Amino acid sequence: MTNEFKTVFEYYLNPEREILFGTEVRRAMTEFVGVPPPMPPAALPYFADWFLFDFLFAEGEPPVRRFPKANPQNLSVGELAPFVELAEHNRFDFFAVAALTNERMIFTSIRDGSRYEVVRGDMRTAEGEVVVCRIGRAKGAWEVMDLD
């Protein structure tokens, strides 16, 4: 999982920023789970993905696109580039695991046949399996997006 994914998630859900984003975060939790917070802990990894990539803030953008535009950490253009790349290059899909090495996996989209070379990380899977996940690209490398 990219550091950018964690950075954006932690930025918006940090209790110190509750005054800035609390209303939107509570609205997101209610939309996602169907009841007001607190959210069941088991839902958090699924919520993280949905919140960052699919939930729209009041102005109509998801956090993953909003963060690099707002640049709340005053990052340089070079430091901000991976956040922009992740916002523009991510995909939630069903992927067939076409090949594995110790460092890489080849994912093939079940829907359209697109192929992605993905950093293996700690993901446990086998060639021929189908995985359902989001992948994102930052710093030129595709990775599975999750909180682990």
Side-chain angles (χ1 to χ4, degrees):
M1 182 248 322
T2 70
N3 287 334
E4 292 76 19
F5 181 88
K6 270 188 177 174
T7 298
V8 175
F9 185 72
E10 290 171 358
Y11 177 75
Y12 286 105
L13 273 77
N14 185 321
E16 293 176 7
R17 294 187 188 85
E18 202 275 337
I19 190 91
L20 297 172
F21 308 117
T23 300
E24 292 280 40
V25 169
R26 283 188 296 282
R27 181 172 68 84
M29 288 180 174
T30 301
E31 281 184 30
F32 187 76
V33 180
V35 294
M39 180 183 320
L44 186 60
Y46 306 103
F47 172 75
D49 177 88
W50 176 82
F51 177 74
L52 290 182
F53 294 98
D54 298 317
F55 173 74
L56 300 179
F57 270 77
E59 78 279 353
E61 286 192 304
V64 73
R65 290 199 177 276
R66 196 173 189 265
F67 184 88
K69 287 181 180 178
N71 194 8
Q73 296 178 340
N74 295 316
L75 302 174
S76 70
V77 171
E79 292 169 321
L80 210 53
F83 292 94
V84 173
E85 185 179 9
L86 179 61
E88 293 174 357
H89 301 283
N90 67 82
R91 180 172 187 169
F92 186 86
D93 207 342
F94 291 77
F95 298 100
V97 180
L100 291 172
T101 69
N102 287 339
E103 294 88 27
R104 304 272 181 214
M105 304 176 283
I106 302 297
F107 281 3
T108 303
S109 167
I110 299 294
R111 289 186 304 144
D112 66 12
S114 299
R115 292 174 63 90
Y116 301 88
E117 183 176 322
V118 181
V119 174
R120 179 129 187 214
D122 294 334
M123 186 171 200
R124 294 174 193 218
T125 188
E127 214 168 289
E129 287 187 348
V130 173
V131 296
V132 180
C133 64
R134 181 177 307 272
I135 58 173
R137 192 178 80 197
K139 299 177 188 162
W142 288 94
E143 295 184 48
V144 173
M145 300 287 104
D146 61 23
L147 286 177
D148 294 330

